[in-house]
Amino acid sequence: AESLHSCIGLLGISAGSLLLAVHFYSLPRAAPLIPSTALGALLLIVSALLAYAGIRRSLRNASLLVCLCLTLSALWSGYGVILILAGQGALPSTGDARDALVPGLATFTVALLLVAVVGFLCGEPLLALVAAAVSLASAHEVALHYSSLLGPSAVACSHLMVCLAGGYFALGRIVYFLTKGKVALPGTDLAEKKAQEQGRGIAGSTNPFAAPGLLLNMLSASVFCCRFLGVTHRLFLGHVPWLWAASTYQIGICVLSYRAMDVLMATAFGFTSILKFAGGYCLLYPTWQPEEPSFPTPFLVVFSILFAVLALFLSLQSPVDGLYLLVFVTYCIALACSPRGFFAGGPQGVAVAIFVASALVALIHLYNVRARAKIPTGKGVVKALLARSSLLKLREGPDLHAPYLGYSKYADAEVLTYACSVLASFALTATGDPQAPLATVVIPWVVVAGGILKLLGGSVAFARGKTLESSAFILYSVMWIIWGLTRYGGLCGTARSFHAVVGIVSFMLFNSFIVFCSLFLNMAWFFYSLTFMLIAVSFLLDAIHALPTGYDIAATLIFGLVSFYCFLAALSSSTFERCCLPMGGPMVPLSGVRAGMTKCLHLPARKASSVKRIADILRNGGTCGIPTDTVYVLVAACNRPDAVEKAHRSKRQAQDRPMSLWISSLKQLEPAKHLFTPLLWDFMEAAWPSPISLVIPRGEWVDFLGMKDSAKYVGTPQSVAIRIPDCSVTTHLIDLVGPIVVTSANPTGEADTTHHNQVYAKLGNKVDAVLCGGPSPENIASTVVDCTKIDSGNIGFFRVGIIPKSQV
């Protein structure tokens, strides 16, 4: 799979370079071989393939190819949109096309040069050659726009070099894949690269997506740098593709950073993506209105405070990254002090500092991801200082971002989500001109921050098993998007309608349910959802022309302050072991998940240490919920009658549904083999391991399993259901504990549990631990076969489950 994803990325690089080589070779002709619109569309397709290859490759390891694919994908997506605009006549003059292309080309000249330098230093010469060739092609194209002495053939030659180098690398990977590693072209040996990566200890040491995200910050800063330095003549529509391509990709980098369990850098990329969307909006606005849009000053002050707080916490993880974010604090302050916003010289001057700082920090991240000897970022100094403090202790370890219920592939996104609530609420304090609502820059803050990024946070919360939080975040994001576009996008104007009132009331009803549920969660969430109701009420009063003067400002300030507290609490809880700012306990205690937090352990099933700990609990007389090859079950050790009785009580076991017996191998029944008929023994050997439970006659063989007084709870006086599960985790647990007594992990009469969350919800305060394995592989229970009369040639079925009758 790694080889195929690498091939897709390298072939995509070669294809994009070939398209550009053909374009520049035919440029002197009156009619180019590939029209601008068609070339732009093809580059967008290639950029999508490169983004896919970079993301899929990144799930395996942190190769330099990840950064190369994502960076080139962003370059060619912005380049492609500009070519489409030029082909459709949106950039009529040659100067417009030059001013539109130069900032992006200059950025990627520098960015890919950094990638090439790191590639040469860290032993990836072919990838370094590809990056250097694309950098050279971009530099040639910049020179072509300012001097007629350099013809387009030089640019085409550079792209042809990229095509040949990428094609060679892709061919080497294909040959390696087809020959199963027996043949490898020089420089393309995957086995050798894997050994190098393992030796460097890349996994978990550094966020591999930080470098592409920092390079995207260079791209947005370059747009304003070029205007400040006089390289381009004005800021206009042609620069919007670079800004919005950078912001879109940076939201993707934000998600991938959560995948890399880097909460703080993911939050930082979410913040910077909002600025890029706002910059693009400001440059787009003058295309239909002659004046420049105005900025809400209070919002930018709040944004600078959020950046400063995040920089403080990030400096505890990496002082270099924390100092880097201080540049964005300066940027927000410069925007707040300039009525012209992005068009003013002050923010453009700070953009030059952002470009230089982003290049330096990106170089550090690129090198530290690949090199064995790291460039120091000051983390050791911070750890040494905090080691002297008994109050502040950083959270570290493999379970740093493990959720309460089981495990997740993503870190917690609540820090970013609460911050977006702060931004969206304070953005509403800018009333603007009702006759020209678009003239005030509110939509990027409300729609992007309050809508898109909050929707992202809700999705991550859902992936982490936080059902209520994810539902609230998604509901609020939809509300911000709809109201932001309607109220501040000029869709409703000065008129209001009955339909808007009905929609707002519907949201309020949904939020009332969330407020009620938050009573059982914690105090902070109760006030967070309750104060959002104040926002919804202000929307409703505005829709019916009954909004009191100052009410909307007061409601947004209250909600913003509550959200800011939640932002600080989430930051501190994700950074320090001790919670500095508590979220509070549930206002109404509820039995189940939250009430059993201190009693019922949650242990990830993917860890051998978790299985061993579950085994210790069972040996000591505990009961546990575990995943199997079908649904989740409640288990107890056979040789602990007290535990079996406890499981029987907690399950409220019905007499017509007796508990069953599980073993890990027929070897456990070998001492009693003479007590089974040959036909039954052969059938058990043929049927197991599988999701087939066999109901067999009860006999003296039960005593060989050490059941003792537990026997009265298992099966009926005439028969016992027994099986060997087809699940390595379960059989390993039985090997450690011995035979176990099993029943479904739900009260009698309820549906089977197919996720560890359901085990907590139904039995959380009645079991000692739950082995969390995520969703069950099947939603259907095992097939139960009646083998009590098998020697007479007859079998029956008590239940037809996952295995059909014909297969039995």
Side-chain angles (χ1 to χ4, degrees), residues 691-695 721 782-786 796-801:
I692 299 176
S693 296
L694 303 183
V695 179
S782 62
T783 298
V784 183
V785 181
D786 182 7
F797 291 86
F798 289 108
R799 179 180 67 199
V800 179

Side-chain angles (χ1 to χ4, degrees), residues 476-780:
Y476 296 168
S477 70
V478 174
M479 186 68 179
W480 285 120
I481 291 173
I482 294 176
W483 185 252
L485 292 176
T486 303
R487 180 69 179 84
Y488 297 94
L491 298 182
C492 66
T494 57
R496 305 290 186 269
S497 68
F498 171 76
H499 305 88
V501 173
V502 173
I504 295 170
V505 170
S506 300
F507 272 104
M508 292 175 67
L509 291 175
F510 279 117
N511 192 54
S512 299
F513 176 72
I514 291 175
V515 172
F516 172 75
C517 293
S518 63
L519 289 170
F520 310 102
L521 186 60
N522 58 54
M523 192 175 297
W525 251 97
F526 172 74
F527 285 107
Y528 177 72
S529 56
L530 184 64
T531 51
F532 186 81
M533 186 68 79
L534 300 178
I535 299 284
V537 169
S538 71
F539 294 164
L540 177 63
L541 295 175
D542 184 43
I544 61 175
H545 293 285
L547 183 65
T549 303
Y551 174 82
D552 54 340
I553 303 295
T556 53
L557 288 177
I558 293 172
F559 178 70
L561 292 174
V562 172
S563 300
F564 185 70
Y565 177 84
C566 294
F567 166 72
L568 292 177
L571 258 181
S572 62
S573 64
S574 65
T575 306
F576 301 113
E577 287 189 357
R578 295 181 181 179
C579 187
C580 302
L581 296 174
M583 298 287 280
M587 301 186 72
V588 180
L590 182 69
S591 63
V593 176
R594 298 292 172 179
M597 285 180 68
T598 57
K599 178 182 177 183
C600 182
L601 297 174
H602 65 287
L603 301 168
R606 57 194 172 92
K607 294 186 175 181
S609 58
S610 300
V611 180
K612 184 178 179 181
R613 194 167 178 185
I614 292 287
D616 292 336
I617 294 172
L618 293 176
R619 281 194 290 261
N620 292 326
T623 59
C624 301
I626 65 170
T628 68
D629 49 348
T630 54
V631 296
Y632 277 76
V633 296
L634 179 63
V635 301
C638 274
N639 56 4
R640 293 301 300 255
D642 53 338
V644 177
E645 182 181 359
K646 178 182 174 183
H648 189 274
R649 283 199 315 269
S650 62
K651 172 73 189 304
R652 302 195 299 271
Q653 193 77 24
Q655 295 300 321
D656 60 341
R657 295 187 180 181
M659 303 174 78
S660 59
L661 181 67
W662 283 11
I663 58 177
S664 61
S665 170
L666 275 177
K667 292 182 179 178
Q668 292 173 312
L669 290 177
E670 282 283 354
K673 183 177 180 179
H674 61 281
L675 300 175
F676 296 90
T677 64
L679 180 60
L680 178 57
W681 187 268
D682 291 342
F683 186 53
M684 290 191 294
E685 282 187 326
W688 294 333
S690 70
I692 299 176
S693 296
L694 303 183
V695 179
I696 61 178
R698 181 186 287 271
E700 296 179 3
W701 61 269
V702 174
D703 299 331
F704 285 86
L705 299 178
M707 293 186 65
K708 302 178 183 176
D709 294 336
S710 305
K712 61 183 179 181
Y713 298 106
V714 180
T716 66
Q718 295 80 29
S719 60
V720 175
I722 185 172
R723 85 173 172 107
I724 300 176
D726 191 13
C727 175
S728 58
V729 172
T730 311
T731 54
H732 178 51
L733 178 63
I734 298 172
D735 286 336
L736 296 174
V737 179
I740 57 176
V741 175
V742 177
T743 184
S744 57
N746 56 274
T748 301
E750 296 188 12
D752 292 324
T753 50
T754 57
H755 197 280
H756 56 255
N757 290 3
Q758 298 175 2
V759 181
Y760 276 97
K762 296 179 180 180
L763 302 172
N765 61 340
K766 298 178 181 178
V767 295
D768 297 291
V770 175
L771 194 60
C772 304
S776 298
E778 304 291 345
N779 295 328
I780 306 174

Side-chain angles (χ1 to χ4, degrees), residues 209-334:
F209 310 108
L214 294 167
L215 296 179
L216 292 172
N217 284 339
M218 292 174 59
L219 175 59
S220 60
S222 176
V223 171
F224 303 106
C225 287
C226 289
R227 178 67 191 93
F228 180 76
L229 298 175
V231 177
T232 55
H233 297 90
R234 63 191 178 103
L235 296 172
F236 69 115
L237 171 67
H239 295 135
V240 175
W242 293 126
L243 293 172
W244 282 4
S247 58
T248 303
Y249 274 81
Q250 203 153 50
I251 289 178
I253 296 293
C254 174
V255 177
L256 292 172
S257 295
Y258 283 121
R259 185 70 182 260
M261 301 296 170
D262 192 348
V263 174
L264 299 182
M265 285 303 290
T267 306
F269 290 139
F271 282 2
T272 53
S273 69
I274 299 172
L275 286 174
K276 295 174 179 59
F277 270 113
Y281 176 87
C282 292
L283 270 57
L284 188 63
Y285 180 78
T287 58
W288 67 80
Q289 293 292 336
E291 70 273 6
E292 298 170 356
S294 60
F295 269 74
T297 300
F299 167 83
L300 291 167
V301 174
V302 172
F303 207 177
S304 65
I305 293 173
L306 291 177
F307 261 119
V309 172
L310 183 62
L312 176 62
F313 279 87
L314 187 58
S315 63
L316 301 177
Q317 174 181 299
S318 172
V320 169
D321 294 332
L323 291 173
Y324 168 71
L325 279 193
L326 292 179
V327 184
F328 286 94
V329 177
T330 308
Y331 192 48
C332 291
I333 294 174

Side-chain angles (χ1 to χ4, degrees), residues 9-10 13 47 50-51 53-54 64-74:
L10 292 164
I13 294 172
S47 66
L50 287 178
L64 199 64
L65 183 62
V66 174
C67 183
L68 182 61
C69 286
L70 294 177
T71 305
L72 280 176
S73 178

